[in-house]
mmCIF file of all heavy atoms in Angstrom:
data_model
loop_
_atom_site.group_PDB
_atom_site.id
_atom_site.type_symbol
_atom_site.label_atom_id
_atom_site.label_comp_id
_atom_site.label_asym_id
_atom_site.label_seq_id
_atom_site.Cartn_x
_atom_site.Cartn_y
_atom_site.Cartn_z
ATOM 1 N N GLU A 213 230.969 189.758 146.192
ATOM 2 C CA GLU A 213 231.846 190.280 145.151
ATOM 3 C C GLU A 213 232.449 191.685 145.528
ATOM 4 O O GLU A 213 233.547 192.109 145.387
ATOM 5 C CB GLU A 213 231.189 190.142 143.862
ATOM 6 C CG GLU A 213 231.137 188.824 143.226
ATOM 7 C CD GLU A 213 230.351 188.695 141.981
ATOM 8 O OE1 GLU A 213 229.446 189.649 141.798
ATOM 9 O OE2 GLU A 213 230.585 187.868 141.277
ATOM 10 N N LEU A 214 231.405 192.466 145.932
ATOM 11 C CA LEU A 214 231.711 193.824 146.388
ATOM 12 C C LEU A 214 232.769 193.912 147.511
ATOM 13 O O LEU A 214 233.647 194.667 147.616
ATOM 14 C CB LEU A 214 230.403 194.566 146.762
ATOM 15 C CG LEU A 214 230.534 196.036 147.077
ATOM 16 C CD1 LEU A 214 231.161 196.846 145.862
ATOM 17 C CD2 LEU A 214 229.147 196.754 147.492
ATOM 18 N N ASN A 215 232.490 193.126 148.478
ATOM 19 C CA ASN A 215 233.358 193.035 149.621
ATOM 20 C C ASN A 215 234.805 192.564 149.119
ATOM 21 O O ASN A 215 235.741 193.008 149.832
ATOM 22 C CB ASN A 215 232.859 191.944 150.662
ATOM 23 C CG ASN A 215 231.622 192.479 151.470
ATOM 24 O OD1 ASN A 215 231.414 193.715 151.467
ATOM 25 N ND2 ASN A 215 230.746 191.696 151.949
ATOM 26 N N ASP A 216 234.910 191.621 148.289
ATOM 27 C CA ASP A 216 236.065 191.157 147.739
ATOM 28 C C ASP A 216 236.830 192.365 147.108
ATOM 29 O O ASP A 216 238.100 192.505 147.237
ATOM 30 C CB ASP A 216 236.025 190.025 146.836
ATOM 31 C CG ASP A 216 235.719 188.707 147.410
ATOM 32 O OD1 ASP A 216 235.880 188.542 148.699
ATOM 33 O OD2 ASP A 216 235.146 187.878 146.819
ATOM 34 N N ARG A 217 236.114 193.082 146.294
ATOM 35 C CA ARG A 217 236.713 194.247 145.627
ATOM 36 C C ARG A 217 237.145 195.318 146.678
ATOM 37 O O ARG A 217 238.390 195.871 146.490
ATOM 38 C CB ARG A 217 235.646 194.965 144.758
ATOM 39 C CG ARG A 217 236.226 196.074 143.842
ATOM 40 C CD ARG A 217 237.423 195.707 143.026
ATOM 41 N NE ARG A 217 237.931 196.816 142.407
ATOM 42 C CZ ARG A 217 237.521 197.312 141.137
ATOM 43 N NH1 ARG A 217 236.482 196.570 140.536
ATOM 44 N NH2 ARG A 217 238.152 198.309 140.519
ATOM 45 N N ILE A 218 236.443 195.532 147.669
ATOM 46 C CA ILE A 218 236.859 196.443 148.816
ATOM 47 C C ILE A 218 238.168 195.988 149.405
ATOM 48 O O ILE A 218 239.051 196.740 149.637
ATOM 49 C CB ILE A 218 235.767 196.645 149.891
ATOM 50 C CG1 ILE A 218 234.549 197.367 149.265
ATOM 51 C CG2 ILE A 218 236.175 197.412 151.080
ATOM 52 C CD1 ILE A 218 233.325 197.537 150.164
ATOM 53 N N ARG A 219 238.218 194.738 149.743
ATOM 54 C CA ARG A 219 239.421 194.132 150.368
ATOM 55 C C ARG A 219 240.593 194.284 149.324
ATOM 56 O O ARG A 219 241.699 194.581 149.834
ATOM 57 C CB ARG A 219 239.232 192.708 150.726
ATOM 58 C CG ARG A 219 238.241 192.437 151.892
ATOM 59 C CD ARG A 219 238.378 190.927 152.462
ATOM 60 N NE ARG A 219 237.820 190.024 151.490
ATOM 61 C CZ ARG A 219 236.432 189.738 151.502
ATOM 62 N NH1 ARG A 219 235.721 190.341 152.510
ATOM 63 N NH2 ARG A 219 235.932 188.800 150.692
ATOM 64 N N GLN A 220 240.474 194.116 148.153
ATOM 65 C CA GLN A 220 241.561 194.182 147.218
ATOM 66 C C GLN A 220 241.961 195.759 147.212
ATOM 67 O O GLN A 220 243.230 195.954 147.292
ATOM 68 C CB GLN A 220 241.144 193.875 145.834
ATOM 69 C CG GLN A 220 240.881 192.496 145.581
ATOM 70 C CD GLN A 220 240.339 192.139 144.251
ATOM 71 O OE1 GLN A 220 240.277 192.991 143.329
ATOM 72 N NE2 GLN A 220 239.847 190.810 144.039
ATOM 73 N N GLU A 221 241.069 196.699 147.176
ATOM 74 C CA GLU A 221 241.428 198.105 147.304
ATOM 75 C C GLU A 221 242.230 198.377 148.532
ATOM 76 O O GLU A 221 243.192 199.244 148.635
ATOM 77 C CB GLU A 221 240.233 198.982 147.011
ATOM 78 C CG GLU A 221 239.644 198.867 145.721
ATOM 79 C CD GLU A 221 240.619 199.346 144.665
ATOM 80 O OE1 GLU A 221 241.312 200.361 145.060
ATOM 81 O OE2 GLU A 221 240.507 198.859 143.527
ATOM 82 N N LEU A 222 241.665 197.839 149.627
ATOM 83 C CA LEU A 222 242.277 198.054 150.963
ATOM 84 C C LEU A 222 243.748 197.528 150.995
ATOM 85 O O LEU A 222 244.738 198.242 151.549
ATOM 86 C CB LEU A 222 241.467 197.437 152.123
ATOM 87 C CG LEU A 222 240.142 198.101 152.317
ATOM 88 C CD1 LEU A 222 239.404 197.346 153.412
ATOM 89 C CD2 LEU A 222 240.383 199.575 152.840
ATOM 90 N N THR A 223 243.964 196.366 150.418
ATOM 91 C CA THR A 223 245.269 195.706 150.468
ATOM 92 C C THR A 223 246.230 196.627 149.519
ATOM 93 O O THR A 223 247.338 196.964 149.933
ATOM 94 C CB THR A 223 245.234 194.394 149.864
ATOM 95 O OG1 THR A 223 244.324 193.502 150.613
ATOM 96 C CG2 THR A 223 246.507 193.762 149.692
ATOM 97 N N LEU A 224 245.754 197.043 148.437
ATOM 98 C CA LEU A 224 246.690 197.874 147.517
ATOM 99 C C LEU A 224 246.898 199.202 148.268
ATOM 100 O O LEU A 224 248.040 199.657 148.249
ATOM 101 C CB LEU A 224 245.906 198.118 146.134
ATOM 102 C CG LEU A 224 245.899 196.882 145.320
ATOM 103 C CD1 LEU A 224 244.963 197.296 144.026
ATOM 104 C CD2 LEU A 224 247.084 196.565 144.785
ATOM 105 N N HIS A 225 245.885 199.748 148.882
ATOM 106 C CA HIS A 225 246.220 201.055 149.527
ATOM 107 C C HIS A 225 247.207 200.957 150.733
ATOM 108 O O HIS A 225 248.048 201.775 150.976
ATOM 109 C CB HIS A 225 244.943 201.634 150.110
ATOM 110 C CG HIS A 225 244.982 202.995 150.701
ATOM 111 N ND1 HIS A 225 245.284 203.264 152.017
ATOM 112 C CD2 HIS A 225 244.906 204.221 150.102
ATOM 113 C CE1 HIS A 225 245.359 204.549 152.270
ATOM 114 N NE2 HIS A 225 245.133 205.079 151.103
ATOM 115 N N GLY A 226 247.056 199.666 151.421
ATOM 116 C CA GLY A 226 247.919 199.567 152.574
ATOM 117 C C GLY A 226 249.342 199.268 152.035
ATOM 118 O O GLY A 226 250.334 199.731 152.698
ATOM 119 N N MET A 227 249.510 198.563 150.865
ATOM 120 C CA MET A 227 250.846 198.391 150.388
ATOM 121 C C MET A 227 251.620 199.826 149.932
ATOM 122 O O MET A 227 252.730 199.991 150.120
ATOM 123 C CB MET A 227 250.822 197.453 149.078
ATOM 124 C CG MET A 227 250.423 196.015 149.586
ATOM 125 S SD MET A 227 250.129 194.921 148.009
ATOM 126 C CE MET A 227 251.827 195.029 147.267
ATOM 127 N N ARG A 228 250.648 200.636 149.244
ATOM 128 C CA ARG A 228 251.152 201.827 148.952
ATOM 129 C C ARG A 228 251.503 202.819 150.123
ATOM 130 O O ARG A 228 252.382 203.752 149.988
ATOM 131 C CB ARG A 228 250.048 202.615 148.053
ATOM 132 C CG ARG A 228 249.969 202.006 146.666
ATOM 133 C CD ARG A 228 249.299 202.867 145.678
ATOM 134 N NE ARG A 228 247.844 203.069 146.173
ATOM 135 C CZ ARG A 228 246.796 202.406 145.656
ATOM 136 N NH1 ARG A 228 247.071 201.305 144.843
ATOM 137 N NH2 ARG A 228 245.653 202.545 146.128
ATOM 138 N N SER A 229 250.962 202.696 151.215
ATOM 139 C CA SER A 229 251.125 203.494 152.345
ATOM 140 C C SER A 229 252.105 203.004 153.409
ATOM 141 O O SER A 229 252.589 203.661 154.200
ATOM 142 C CB SER A 229 249.708 203.616 153.143
ATOM 143 O OG SER A 229 248.810 204.158 152.347
ATOM 144 N N ASP A 230 252.562 201.695 153.159
ATOM 145 C CA ASP A 230 253.544 201.141 154.030
ATOM 146 C C ASP A 230 254.947 201.720 153.689
ATOM 147 O O ASP A 230 255.388 201.867 152.505
ATOM 148 C CB ASP A 230 253.601 199.698 153.792
ATOM 149 C CG ASP A 230 254.518 198.943 154.818
ATOM 150 O OD1 ASP A 230 254.908 199.537 155.832
ATOM 151 O OD2 ASP A 230 254.756 197.731 154.723
ATOM 152 N N VAL A 231 255.635 202.221 154.706
ATOM 153 C CA VAL A 231 256.909 202.862 154.468
ATOM 154 C C VAL A 231 258.076 202.043 155.301
ATOM 155 O O VAL A 231 259.100 202.623 155.529
ATOM 156 C CB VAL A 231 256.945 204.255 155.056
ATOM 157 C CG1 VAL A 231 255.998 205.152 154.199
ATOM 158 C CG2 VAL A 231 256.545 204.307 156.387
ATOM 159 N N ALA A 232 257.840 200.777 155.373
ATOM 160 C CA ALA A 232 258.817 199.987 156.161
ATOM 161 C C ALA A 232 260.131 199.931 155.410
ATOM 162 O O ALA A 232 261.298 200.027 156.044
ATOM 163 C CB ALA A 232 258.239 198.574 156.446
#
Side-chain angles (χ1 to χ4, degrees):
E213 290 173 330
L214 184 61
N215 288 337
D216 288 340
R217 183 58 183 273
I218 291 176
R219 282 193 292 271
Q220 292 176 11
E221 291 296 327
L222 291 175
T223 300
L224 290 174
H225 187 269
M227 292 173 60
R228 289 193 295 267
S229 301
D230 189 12
V231 293

